[in-house]
Amino acid sequence: MVQAKLGDTVKVNYTGTLQDGKVFDSSANRDPLQFSLGEGQVIAGFEEAVLGMTPGDSKSVTIPSEQAYGPYQEELVIVVDENQIPSDLSVEVGQQLQIRHKDGQAVPVTITNITDDKVTLDANHSLAGKDLTFEIELVTIQ
């Protein structure tokens, strides 16, 4: 039987959970996820888990944060004066915004705290620093 290798385009069904069992993403009720192995379209640990699988295979794999979205980086958390937020924008904890880096690049951030005059912005990916468990089923290799 054919095994998934670098360069193959694959389709997988998956469910991703955190250490506490909470589902953070799943292909359930959607089409299988399609990607090409070796092109960096998915996190490294996920791609590595699919390598060598054959269609119909299923596995459970825990991916350490270093092979997922990386470690949580405190230096990506900034506190700004509330007056640096556009006055027409109603802010709330959990809200996602984009800020412009000095080089003009848009950086997604999440508001994590609001005080009387300060707003805390976190540019870490929401899954940074977390080990992720995936149930993966290889559907097809193309």
Side-chain angles (χ1 to χ4, degrees):
M1 195 139 216
V2 179
Q3 292 183 324
K5 64 186 179 316
L6 292 177
D8 287 342
T9 297
V10 297
K11 289 185 180 182
V12 299
N13 288 317
Y14 69 94
T15 298
T17 56
L18 301 174
Q19 287 182 318
D20 64 4
K22 179 181 175 191
V23 174
F24 65 85
D25 195 12
S26 177
S27 65
N29 302 316
R30 297 191 317 229
D31 290 335
L33 172 66
Q34 178 176 310
F35 63 97
S36 296
L37 290 165
E39 293 189 12
Q41 298 170 329
V42 297
I43 59 175
F46 191 92
E47 184 171 77
E48 188 176 301
V50 174
L51 286 170
M53 292 180 72
T54 60
D57 282 354
S58 294
K59 69 166 58 170
S60 178
V61 61
T62 298
I63 301 171
S65 65
E66 295 78 22
Q67 290 185 302
Y69 293 95
Y72 187 85
Q73 300 177 58
E74 287 295 334
E75 62 271 17
L76 296 180
V77 177
I78 59 171
V79 179
V80 299
D81 289 328
E82 185 179 45
N83 63 10
Q84 291 184 274
I85 306 291
S87 60
D88 62 337
L89 189 63
S90 172
V91 296
E92 56 188 60
V93 171
Q95 184 177 8
Q96 296 192 337
L97 306 172
Q98 284 193 350
I99 60 174
R100 293 259 175 229
H101 197 269
K102 291 177 185 173
D103 65 5
Q105 182 180 4
V107 177
V109 296
T110 301
I111 297 174
T112 58
N113 192 35
I114 301 170
T115 63
D116 290 337
D117 60 347
K118 303 283 185 191
V119 177
T120 304
L121 305 173
D122 188 345
N124 283 287
H125 188 281
S126 63
L127 296 173
K130 297 179 179 169
D131 296 340
L132 309 176
T133 299
F134 286 93
E135 299 295 328
I136 302 171
E137 174 198 12
L138 180 58
V139 178
T140 64
I141 300 173
Q142 299 175 329

